[in-house]
Amino acid sequence: MESKNPVFSRQSKGHQAWGSPTPTPEQLQGMYDSPSYAPPAQRTMTIDDVVVRGFITLGTLVVSAAVAWALNLGTVALLIGVIVGLVLGLIVSFKQSTNPVLILGYAVAYGVAIGVISHIYNDLYNGIVFQAVVGTALAFAAMLTVYSLRIIRVTPKFTKFVVAAGLGLMGLMLVNWVATFFIQDGIGIRSGGALAYVFSIAAILIGCFFLLLDFDSVEQGVRTGAPEKYSWLMAFGLTVTLVWIYLEILRLLSYFSSSD
């Protein structure tokens, strides 16, 4: 039977009651020195995390592209790769997903598409793929240098400009695609003429500016202590931008090759 004495009741439950002996200085010091409970801290993202995930993501894309090239897959594989890659890319982008399965799935799907496209271009213009790969690597190195030396600073105004330019670029591509149903070369931004040269150069420059935004996102994530898992999202962004630059360089080089 539980005691009705409130003092005894509190003592039985482990609470100090009136009249209990005062803790000694040694006991107080021991209580002070005892570690307090703290939940395990989540590891934050580092530059090395982004580099490793970037190599994994881009490496997956390159391997799947090489397999598609070696097997000489056709337009069906190209269409499937573009559709699957586009869907996965939109999911990752809009949900800001850090799921490596979705991100690597995008890399595989778009790798297949890029492998088929590269094979087609190389059959038409021998050696053009190697030139495009070198051009993409040089663009990456140049933008990394520009960002590291703060030659171009990523400000909110600059970010708005680049995003608006990217949206305008995609809008023009959509208009051109719709126009091809009525006019053979659409509005001429992909026909190989003077306007096509200007459009491809602008697309490459905007892609390079997006690399600066990607570098800034990585730096801000590390500085603010973003969780480690966000390194996958950073790697995804870098891969998407590099794919964009590569495809535009490939197309621009094809204009020069076809005019020879």
Side-chain angles (χ1 to χ4, degrees), residues 204-226:
I204 293 170
L205 287 176
I206 294 172
C208 289
F209 290 155
F210 266 101
L211 274 179
L212 296 179
L213 300 188
D214 293 332
F215 296 150
D216 185 66
S217 295
V218 173
E219 185 176 24
Q220 293 297 329
V222 172
R223 183 181 301 165
T224 58

Side-chain angles (χ1 to χ4, degrees), residues 164-225:
L167 292 175
L169 203 73
M170 289 186 285
L172 280 175
M173 293 174 64
L174 180 61
V175 170
N176 183 72
W177 176 72
V178 173
T180 56
F181 290 101
F182 308 98
I183 308 172
Q184 182 177 0
D185 293 329
I187 61 176
I189 61 174
R190 294 303 198 188
S191 62
L195 187 58
Y197 279 82
V198 173
F199 183 83
S200 287
I201 292 173
I204 293 170
L205 287 176
I206 294 172
C208 289
F209 290 155
F210 266 101
L211 274 179
L212 296 179
L213 300 188
D214 293 332
F215 296 150
D216 185 66
S217 295
V218 173
E219 185 176 24
Q220 293 297 329
V222 172
R223 183 181 301 165
T224 58

Side-chain angles (χ1 to χ4, degrees), residues 129-146:
V129 170
F130 177 74
Q131 296 171 7
V133 170
V134 172
T136 304
L138 290 176
F140 180 86
M143 289 302 101
L144 184 59
T145 302
V146 166

